[in-house]
Amino acid sequence: MNVPAAWYLVLGAVLFGIGAFGVLTRRSALIMFMCIELMLNAVTLTFVTFARTLNDIGGQATVFFIMVVAAAEVTVGLGIVVAIFRRRASTSVDELSEMKG
Amino acid sequence: MIAIAYGWPDVLVFATAAILIVVGALGVIATRHPVHAALSLIMTLFGVAVAFVAQSADFLAAVEIIVYAGAIVVLFLFVIMFLGVDRDEGTRVEPLVGQRALAALGVVITVAGLITLMARSHWVTGATSVSTAGAPLASGSGNVRQLGTAVFTTYLFAFEATAALLIIAVVGAVVLARREQRRDAEEDTPDTPDTPDTSAASSDLEGSER
């Protein structure tokens, strides 16, 4: 018998929490992107767990699309980081404060 | 006792996945070196792939390794090395007073709320298993067949939309990473380090991204 789905759901929640903490506390834009990847992976883990629990392949199909969107997001995000680094020679988000109202 | 209730192999697989995921995730947020963070991210992704295999999502586990660990983390490492930011980030001092304590408090409340929601709610759905026509989720090649059938029938429009999204993302990345010489000369700000090596490096980046 397989382990209960609740274990995987708790694992996903913990992973999401760790990623959220990283986004809130780290200052490097690259590390923040990695923490967003952690949160996305927590959500995919939850989707796969529910796909198994509810016996529906739709959860796995959703994870497939999440991965595509994550790949596109990382590509554009790292492009923005490179463009900012050309201007500012830094990836720290604390120094990007020109647009504050 | 737990192992007797659920069987040794499954508990062992879950424990392995959990340790890989949590240790890797803590490594991502705790290490000061961006390269170490990227390697810790690979560890977490392997743990997630193990959890996928344990829940009969074999195709997604393979995609997780190939796309995430193989492509996305390599892109991260490429940008880290290209920008030369592979040095320690000062994490000793907090930029804002009490930021970490507040962040930890918010995260603990969020996770506790999620777990309480899981423990107390009863998952009721209407028509389950529409896409698999009542058949249980298969593993191995059956998983690929079921997932492919779902993606190319039920989710066909979303699949076509992701094709457009990927094209737009590629064009956007090329536009963002591109550096036009004439416009740079006009808009050059005094704080821009416009040295010959950065333009040479940017042409390298353009070439490797295409």
Side-chain angles (χ1 to χ4, degrees):
Chain A
M1 181 181 169
N2 218 329
V3 297
W7 295 14
Y8 284 102
L9 295 179
V10 171
L11 182 62
V14 169
L15 181 60
F16 187 88
I18 294 173
F21 184 77
V23 170
L24 289 173
T25 55
R26 295 302 296 260
R27 298 270 61 84
S28 165
L30 286 166
I31 307 268
M32 289 172 80
F33 263 117
M34 291 183 204
C35 292
I36 289 172
E37 297 305 313
L38 288 183
M39 294 163 77
L40 281 171
N41 271 280
V43 175
T44 58
L45 184 58
T46 310
F47 264 112
V48 168
T49 305
F50 275 122
R52 191 196 75 180
T53 310
L54 303 176
N55 206 13
D56 191 335
I57 198 73
Q60 294 190 14
T62 310
V63 171
F64 180 74
F65 293 123
I66 289 175
M67 285 180 178
V68 174
V69 173
E73 170 242 334
V74 165
T75 312
V76 175
L78 289 179
I80 292 173
V81 169
V82 169
I84 290 173
F85 189 83
R86 288 227 183 92
R87 289 261 165 204
R88 311 299 310 261
S90 166
T91 59
S92 173
V93 292
D94 278 344
E95 299 178 15
L96 303 176
S97 56
E98 288 91 354
M99 288 181 71
K100 67 183 173 187
Chain B
M1 193 170 72
I2 297 170
I4 293 168
Y6 303 117
W8 273 113
D10 287 328
V11 174
L12 208 60
V13 166
F14 175 81
T16 309
I19 289 171
L20 281 174
I21 288 172
V22 172
V23 171
L26 289 176
V28 171
I29 67 166
T31 55
R32 295 192 288 162
H33 204 291
V35 175
H36 295 169
L39 296 179
S40 300
L41 182 61
I42 291 184
M43 188 174 171
T44 297
L45 299 177
F46 268 90
V48 173
V50 169
F52 281 2
V53 171
Q55 304 193 79
S56 68
D58 299 348
F59 176 74
L60 291 176
V63 171
E64 177 93 6
I65 296 294
I66 294 170
V67 172
Y68 260 111
I72 292 184
V73 176
V74 167
L75 191 60
F76 269 114
L77 287 171
F78 178 77
V79 170
I80 290 169
M81 302 291 181
F82 169 69
L83 296 183
V85 290
D86 51 343
R87 58 176 182 269
D88 287 354
E89 172 197 357
T91 52
R92 292 275 171 239
V93 287
E94 288 182 281
L96 298 171
V97 178
Q99 184 191 17
R100 284 181 198 160
L102 279 176
L105 182 68
V107 165
V108 165
I109 289 174
T110 307
V111 172
L114 279 175
I115 292 175
T116 312
L117 196 65
M118 285 171 211
R120 291 187 165 265
S121 56
H122 183 61
W123 302 105
V124 177
T125 56
T128 57
S129 304
V130 171
S131 51
T132 51
L137 286 187
S139 61
S141 61
N143 171 248
V144 180
R145 187 175 296 121
Q146 282 183 337
L147 189 56
T149 308
V151 166
F152 286 109
T153 54
T154 316
Y155 302 98
L156 183 62
F157 180 74
F159 179 76
E160 298 289 348
T162 57
L165 177 73
L166 283 176
I167 292 288
I168 293 167
V170 167
V171 172
V174 169
V175 168
L176 281 171
R178 175 177 200 148
R179 186 190 185 104
E180 288 185 25
Q181 297 299 327
R182 277 175 294 122
R183 202 199 292 167
D184 272 348
E186 289 169 9
E187 294 182 356
D188 222 355
T189 50
D191 59 346
T192 307
D194 197 9
T195 53
D197 0 73
T198 54
S199 53
S202 71
S203 62
D204 280 346
L205 178 72
E206 282 182 37
S208 52
E209 281 201 351
R210 280 172 197 154

